[in-house]
Amino acid sequence: RNEEWYNRGEGYEHCRPHAILYNAVMDAIARSGIPGAGQRVEKLLEEMEDMYQAGADEAFKPSRRSLNAVMLAYRSEVDGGAKAEYILKRMEELSAVGVYDVMPDVVAFNTAIGAIVRSDDAVNAANRSQALLDRMDELYASGHHLARPNGLTYAMCIEAWLKQQDEVGQKMARQLLEKFFSMVDDNEDVFLETAPVLNVMRAYRQEEDGVREGGP
C-alpha cells in the first residue's frame, strides 16, 4: 500500500517503501504461520533485491534480518530445512563477493537448525544440524564472533541426535552435552544459556520414564 501511494507522485514521498518497512512486513508474515508464508516473504525479498540492484539504493538494501525472515517463514513447510540451508549458503556467498554484509549469525543458524529439527527424517536431521553447528564453530574460530553457538543451538542439535533413538544418537548427544557444559565452565556468560539444554534433557528423561512405565 505504501508503494501504491508513493507511485502516485508529488505529495506522497513520505510513503516511499524502504528496507525497514519491508523487514517489518516480512517478519510479521513469517511469524503468522499462514499458508504460503515462505513464498510471500521470499517474493518481498526479491523485490528489495531488484530495487537495490537497479539503483544501488541503500534504502532497499537487504540485511540479515531480511534473509532470516525468509528462513523463518519456511520453517514449518515440508522443505523448510532444505530452504534454510540454501539461504545460509547464499548469505555466505553474498558476503564473500561483497554484495551485502549478510554473513549468517547465530540467529540465522538457529533458525535453520530449528527448521531441520522439525523435519521427519531423524537421521538426516541430526547430521545436517551437526554440520551447521560445526560450521558455526569454524566461523567463530575464524573471527566471526556473531556466529558463536549458544545454548539454543546445542539444545536443538542434542534434540536432533536424541530423536534418532539409537546408540549413535545417544553418543553424539552426550558429547554435545559435555562440550556445552565445558563451555559453561570456561565462560560465565554461557551459564545464562543453559536453560534450553536442560529443558531438552528434562523432556527426554520424562519421555524415557514414560516409556519404561508403560512397557511390559
Side-chain angles (χ1 to χ4, degrees):
R1 180 56 64 83
N2 278 59
E3 188 173 3
E4 291 176 8
W5 283 102
Y6 176 68
N7 288 335
R8 292 188 180 189
E10 186 176 353
Y12 295 98
E13 289 81 1
H14 64 286
C15 294
R16 181 173 185 256
H18 47 72
I20 296 175
L21 178 60
Y22 266 92
N23 286 337
V25 172
M26 290 162 68
D27 193 64
I29 295 173
R31 296 178 186 280
S32 69
I34 60 176
Q39 291 182 341
R40 292 180 63 180
V41 174
E42 191 166 20
K43 185 176 182 297
L44 290 174
L45 174 63
E46 290 171 355
E47 288 182 12
M48 290 179 70
E49 291 179 319
D50 289 343
M51 287 185 286
Y52 174 68
Q53 293 171 7
D57 191 338
E58 292 291 320
F60 296 105
K61 187 175 182 179
S63 63
R64 287 192 191 93
R65 184 182 177 189
S66 311
L67 285 103
N68 284 348
V70 179
M71 287 192 285
L72 189 62
Y74 275 110
R75 73 187 185 278
S76 298
E77 300 191 14
V78 176
D79 62 344
K83 193 71 176 180
E85 288 170 302
Y86 165 75
I87 293 172
L88 278 179
K89 182 178 179 181
R90 186 178 171 206
M91 290 173 78
E92 289 201 45
E93 291 173 347
L94 289 171
S95 297
V97 297
V99 178
Y100 316 129
D101 181 19
V102 289
M103 197 68 175
D105 57 5
V106 63
V107 175
F109 276 104
N110 283 354
T111 301
I113 292 173
I116 293 170
V117 173
R118 284 185 176 89
S119 69
D120 295 327
D121 189 352
V123 176
N124 285 331
N127 285 310
R128 288 157 63 193
S129 299
Q130 184 65 47
L132 294 186
L133 173 56
D134 293 342
R135 180 56 180 156
M136 294 175 77
D137 284 335
E138 290 175 6
L139 290 174
Y140 180 66
S142 69
H144 183 44
H145 293 166
L146 293 178
R148 181 180 73 82
N150 60 17
L152 180 58
T153 316
Y154 277 87
M156 291 188 293
C157 289
I158 290 171
E159 180 183 358
W161 282 115
L162 291 175
K163 279 184 175 181
Q164 284 196 182
Q165 297 184 339
D166 59 18
E167 291 184 6
V168 173
Q170 292 276 349
K171 178 181 178 181
M172 290 299 299
R174 186 163 50 251
Q175 288 179 357
L176 287 181
L177 190 64
E178 291 172 355
K179 180 180 178 182
F180 176 74
F181 280 107
S182 71
M183 291 169 53
V184 173
D185 292 338
D186 295 338
N187 188 341
E188 292 183 0
D189 293 336
V190 181
F191 179 76
L192 300 176
E193 303 170 2
T194 59
V197 175
L198 294 176
N199 288 340
V200 167
M201 299 306 299
R202 187 178 300 113
Y204 180 72
R205 288 196 184 99
Q206 289 174 347
E207 182 179 334
E208 273 197 325
D209 291 342
V211 171
R212 283 195 291 267
E213 290 174 3

